[in-house]
């Protein structure tokens, strides 16, 4: 699957195996390639066939990162108890951005763009298997989130595509659709057992705001496609008494069929991940892939925020004065707010706080001259200019890559902040969701306007579980409810907060999208 570099891979078994399957055994290779073409016919797959073509290391990394971004969003939405429907709505724009999967063209053919989309999906799934097979905890997360992704994508298929997908996987699903005659012969029992489930499903599909029993009956009679399965395959459904049982068979309505497909997908993935884990040592002989895999694993809750767009037009209004105004401060995450507050109060911050806040400000677009102005304004309330120049100026210029090794330092992401030593007395760096006392955190949440006890309890639950970035994302949602509602997907960016500057950027982005809407409506 990886483009080979002879110097590094010569003689390695893992690469020899791949090449022998693709060139040594020509017939076997041709069969696999034709199977690959077949699986790319559908935009949904059980990922049974491994990738065979070579890709570059850049594709290897970029494709897997894009998929990882989606899985992180799903994980974050799940941790905030969002329904599948909510996740689906939120994920659609992200799917288009990171992993688009358009339907076949009208003649049913796969053009090069569609082929490339499906290839990216296929390869990125397999790469992440290598990352997530390594521990039970990672496997569970991967299986759960890939299962949700699979479910969402199934719902995005047209009815015809869903039917084709089921047909092409009939060997695995062993589903038997019942005939119209059998349905009518058992109509009363089917209705009594499944009418509530079917009604809820129709409501969720937006078929109406109210659905009468008569409408459900008509739907069952003319549209519902029941399958029947040996009952031991669906014992979990039998416990809920929501399906009809007869002669050792369970009769499953359409709305529950997706649960079965997803369960099949997840069970299959679980088995394969365990198998992948056993073969992993062979792959780890490759010194180009291993660091990438390790990095991707570490980054599950920490995809690097793209800091390449510093100093764009969007940051023209950032200067030493404006960053002290409520208009700008309102966009700060709690960690930066607390640092700014303590800096104003004490006219001083210790080293950790200066670094964290200084790099955050650099990230929001404060240039080095304005940074020197800002910090000196704060510090000169207590010390003179000479002392400031001697003790602090160098360090500020150093952060901007103008002194010492001239490294252009990036703002710290949440993982870096959380990896630093906790703040001791009179220090204010760190993440408040981890470092503040319960009372202090609650009073800070109150200052942000979060006073509802239920909402506070949810945030404190995240904190108890050490899901600090999820607590922060929840706070972002609660404090931007109006804007998020108004934007309704217009801001097609990931919402999980794993970087203070991401919090700031998303907040401003939402504000701007509100302003634009107002301008248009005037
Ligand atoms: Fe800051 Fe990250 Fe903590 Fe939020 S989760 S307060 S952005 S460190």
């Amino acid at each position: 699957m990886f483009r080979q570099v002879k110097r590094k891979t010569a003689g390695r078994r893992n690469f020899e195996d791949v090449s022998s399957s693709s060139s040594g055994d020509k017939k076997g290779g041709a069969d696999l390639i034709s199977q690959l073409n077949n699986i790319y016919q559908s935009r949904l797959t059980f990922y049974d066939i491994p990738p065979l073509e070579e890709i570059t290391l850049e594709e290897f990394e970029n494709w897997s990162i894009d998929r990882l971004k989606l899985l992180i969003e799903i994980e974050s939405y799940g941790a905030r108890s969002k329904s599948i429907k909510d996740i689906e709505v939120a994920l659609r724009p992200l799917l288009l951005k990171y992993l688009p999967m358009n339907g076949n063209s009208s003649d049913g053919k796969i053009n090069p763009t569609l082929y490339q989309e499906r290839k990216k999906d296929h390869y990125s799934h397999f790469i992440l298997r290598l990352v997530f097979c390594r521990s039970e905890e990672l496997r569970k997360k991967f299986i759960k989130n890939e299962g949700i992704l699979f479910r969402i994508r199934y719902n995005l298929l047209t009815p015809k595509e869903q039917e084709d997908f089921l047909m092409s996987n009939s060997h695995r699903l062993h589903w038997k659709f019942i005939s119209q005659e059998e349905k009518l012969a058992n109509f009363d029992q089917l209705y009594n057992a499944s009418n509530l489930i079917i009604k809820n499903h129709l409501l969720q599909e937006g078929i109406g705001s109210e659905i009468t029993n008569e409408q459900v009956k008509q739907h069952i009679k003319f549209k519902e496609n029941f399958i029947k399965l040996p009952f031991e395959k669906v014992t979990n459904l039998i416990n809920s008494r929501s399906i009809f049982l007869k002669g050792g068979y369970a009769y499953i309505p359409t709305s529950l069929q997706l649960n079965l497909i997803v369960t099949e997908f997840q069970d299959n993935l679980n088995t394969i991940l365990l198998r992948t884990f056993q073969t992993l040592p062979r792959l780890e002989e490759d010194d180009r892939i291993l660091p990438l895999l390790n990095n991707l694993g570490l980054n599950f809750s920490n995809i690097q925020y793209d800091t390449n767009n510093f100093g764009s037009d969007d940051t023209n209004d950032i200067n030493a004065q404006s960053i002290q105004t409520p208009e700008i401060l309102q966009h700060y995450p709690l960690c930066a707010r607390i640092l700014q507050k303590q800096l104003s109060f004490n006219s001083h911050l210790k080293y950790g706080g200066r670094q964290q806040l200084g790099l955050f400000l650099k990230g929001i677009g404060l240039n080095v001259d304005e940074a020197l102005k800002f910090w000196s304004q704060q510090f000169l309330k207590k010390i003179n200019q000479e002392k400031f120049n001697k003790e602090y100026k160098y360090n500020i210029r150093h952060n901007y890559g103008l002194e010492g090794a001239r490294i252009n330092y990036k703002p710290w992401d949440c993982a870096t902040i959380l990896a630093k030593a906790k703040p001791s007395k009179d220090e204010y760096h760190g993440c408040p969701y981890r470092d503040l006392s319960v009372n202090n955190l609650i009073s800070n949440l109150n200052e942000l306007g979060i006073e509802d006890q239920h909402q506070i309890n949810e945030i404190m639950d995240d904190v108890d579980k050490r899901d600090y970035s999820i607590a922060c994302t929840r706070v972002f949602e609660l404090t931007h409810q109006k804007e998020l509602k108004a934007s309704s997907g217009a801001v097609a960016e990931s919402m999980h907060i794993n970087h203070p500057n991401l919090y700031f950027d998303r907040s401003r982005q939402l504000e701007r999208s509100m302003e634009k809407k107002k301008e248009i409506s005037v």
Side-chain angles (χ1 to χ4, degrees):
M1 151 167 131
F2 322 112
R3 182 161 297 161
Q4 292 185 40
V5 177
K6 276 212 171 73
R7 181 175 56 84
K8 297 215 171 188
T9 62
R12 286 188 178 157
R13 269 179 307 152
N14 48 333
F15 282 91
E16 284 166 356
D17 287 349
V18 169
S19 57
S20 69
S21 69
S22 58
S23 61
D25 179 0
K26 284 218 168 89
K27 190 172 177 302
D31 281 354
L32 279 171
I33 286 170
S34 97
Q35 282 183 54
L36 259 183
N37 278 327
N38 280 341
I39 62 158
Y40 286 178
Q41 273 300 320
S42 169
R43 49 182 169 148
L44 193 68
T45 165
F46 274 93
Y47 304 102
D48 289 327
I49 304 176
L52 289 172
E53 292 175 72
E54 289 182 359
I55 58 170
T56 63
L57 277 174
E58 203 183 349
E59 286 168 330
F60 183 92
E61 187 171 16
N62 291 342
W63 291 355
S64 47
I65 286 178
D66 280 353
R67 190 179 199 93
L68 198 50
K69 283 179 180 166
L70 284 177
L71 297 187
I72 287 171
E73 284 305 312
I74 295 173
E75 171 76 15
S76 175
Y77 279 111
R80 285 176 280 140
S81 315
K82 301 285 177 194
S83 67
I84 291 283
K85 201 81 200 156
D86 287 342
I87 301 179
E88 188 175 324
V89 171
L91 215 65
R92 278 182 191 204
L94 299 178
L95 270 171
L96 277 179
K97 180 172 175 185
Y98 295 121
L99 223 46
M101 291 283 266
N102 289 298
N104 296 359
S105 43
S106 50
D107 58 4
K109 292 219 171 100
I110 313 286
N111 63 35
T113 312
L114 293 180
Y115 186 86
Q116 203 55 23
E117 285 178 1
R118 289 169 200 197
K119 185 173 167 185
K120 178 179 178 185
D121 172 63
H122 184 207
Y123 281 63
S124 61
H125 171 87
F126 272 88
I127 296 166
L128 291 192
R129 279 187 186 180
L130 299 174
V131 176
F132 285 99
C133 67
R134 294 151 175 248
S135 72
E136 196 179 340
E137 195 195 345
L138 287 175
R139 283 194 291 273
K140 271 190 189 159
K141 274 191 176 177
F142 187 60
I143 292 167
K144 183 179 75 185
N145 296 317
E146 280 282 332
I148 295 174
L149 183 60
F150 181 91
R151 179 186 290 273
I152 291 170
R153 283 181 154 173
Y154 183 86
N155 285 335
L156 292 174
L157 298 181
T158 63
K160 170 83 174 73
E161 284 176 311
Q162 289 180 351
E163 205 182 312
D164 289 347
F165 176 76
L166 294 179
M167 288 293 286
S168 61
N169 286 286
S170 56
H171 61 287
R172 140 200 326 277
L173 296 170
H174 305 295
W175 285 9
K176 214 169 151 186
F177 284 93
I178 65 169
S179 65
Q180 184 70 2
E181 290 73 39
E182 189 174 357
K183 183 164 73 174
L184 293 179
N186 297 288
F187 185 82
D188 288 343
Q189 294 94 323
L190 287 170
Y191 173 78
N192 289 338
S194 308
N195 77 80
L196 277 180
I197 285 181
I198 295 173
K199 193 185 233 179
N200 283 339
H201 179 65
L202 294 176
L203 286 170
Q204 275 177 13
E205 294 291 297
I207 290 178
S209 55
E210 264 187 38
I211 294 178
T212 64
N213 291 344
E214 192 47 41
Q215 283 172 310
V216 177
K217 282 184 179 169
Q218 292 301 314
H219 176 84
I220 293 178
K221 209 171 266 177
F222 298 109
K223 293 196 176 150
E224 189 67 34
N225 274 333
F226 285 89
I227 54 165
K228 68 179 190 184
L229 286 176
F231 78 94
E232 63 271 17
K233 285 197 169 273
V234 286
T235 43
N236 54 335
L237 294 178
I238 290 168
N239 294 341
S240 67
R241 295 168 182 266
S242 51
I243 49 172
F244 170 52
L245 290 175
K246 187 180 170 187
Y249 283 101
Y251 289 68
I252 320 283
T254 315
S255 50
L256 294 181
Q257 289 164 17
L258 179 53
N259 288 350
L260 296 180
I261 308 175
V262 174
T263 306
E264 173 71 27
F265 174 80
Q266 291 178 316
D267 288 349
N268 187 42
L269 189 52
N270 187 34
T271 313
I272 287 168
L273 285 177
L274 285 169
R275 218 179 291 149
T276 310
F277 180 55
Q278 284 155 7
T279 53
L280 201 60
R282 289 172 54 197
L283 182 75
E284 294 194 340
E285 290 167 27
D286 191 278
D287 51 11
R288 302 163 308 160
I289 304 299
L290 189 57
L292 284 179
L293 294 179
N294 287 339
N295 208 21
L296 287 166
L298 282 176
N299 279 351
F300 181 70
S301 56
N302 177 33
I303 275 288
Q304 290 291 315
Y305 163 66
D306 182 6
T307 47
N308 290 333
N309 53 359
F310 293 159
S312 67
D313 291 348
D314 286 348
T315 60
N316 280 344
D317 58 346
I318 300 293
N319 56 49
Q321 291 311 322
S322 71
I323 58 170
Q324 299 176 62
T325 61
E327 287 74 32
I328 298 296
L329 285 170
Q330 63 170 327
H331 301 296
Y332 283 23
L334 197 49
C335 52
R337 271 174 193 255
I338 288 173
L339 283 165
Q340 173 64 48
K341 195 163 138 189
Q342 292 301 333
L343 174 62
S344 306
F345 188 71
N346 300 314
S347 303
H348 186 263
L349 274 181
K350 290 197 174 178
Y351 179 75
R354 291 202 304 276
Q355 286 298 98
Q356 187 173 325
L357 181 63
L359 290 170
F360 167 79
L361 294 174
K362 178 184 173 189
I364 70 171
L366 191 71
N367 67 35
V368 64
D369 294 334
E370 290 296 317
L372 286 166
K373 210 188 279 177
F374 167 73
W375 288 100
S376 63
Q377 274 171 8
Q378 303 294 324
F379 277 49
L380 291 186
K381 291 172 197 158
K382 277 200 173 163
I383 58 170
N384 61 31
Q385 185 75 49
E386 195 188 337
K387 187 170 166 64
F388 176 81
N389 288 348
K390 204 165 142 202
E391 293 183 16
Y392 303 105
K393 190 174 172 184
Y394 177 92
N395 200 245
I396 295 165
R397 287 175 50 81
H398 188 264
N399 279 346
Y400 280 81
L402 300 172
E403 303 285 358
R406 297 187 177 259
I407 295 166
N408 192 14
Y409 291 96
K410 288 181 174 178
W412 292 349
D413 59 23
C414 302
T416 306
I417 291 170
L418 287 163
K420 305 262 171 205
K422 288 188 181 188
S424 37
K425 195 169 177 295
D426 295 332
E427 288 187 321
Y428 303 99
H429 64 266
C431 172
Y433 297 101
R434 179 195 61 179
D435 299 327
L436 292 189
S437 67
V438 172
N439 287 344
N440 197 353
L441 179 55
I442 292 177
S443 107
N444 272 284
L445 293 175
N446 293 160
E447 277 178 33
L448 290 173
I450 302 172
E451 293 185 326
D452 180 284
Q453 196 51 47
H454 176 66
Q455 293 172 342
I456 292 179
N457 288 348
E458 283 186 329
I459 297 165
M460 299 318 283
D461 276 353
D462 296 332
V463 169
D464 280 349
K465 286 189 244 158
R466 299 183 186 182
D467 286 335
Y468 307 116
S469 61
I470 288 179
C472 189
T473 307
R474 202 185 287 280
V475 167
F476 182 94
E477 280 190 338
L478 292 171
T479 51
H480 293 78
Q481 287 184 66
K482 211 167 44 167
E483 295 87 342
L484 285 167
K485 209 168 165 196
S487 90
S488 57
V491 183
E493 293 293 340
S494 56
M495 290 310 304
H496 179 72
I497 304 295
N498 53 21
H499 198 303
N501 290 80
L502 180 65
Y503 190 109
F504 180 87
D505 281 1
R506 294 290 169 270
S507 180
R508 288 203 93 190
Q509 220 177 341
L510 283 169
E511 185 188 50
R512 288 194 170 129
S513 110
M514 286 272 280
E515 281 165 4
K516 262 192 202 147
K517 278 203 164 173
K518 270 189 209 152
E519 278 168 26
I520 293 167
S521 64
V522 168

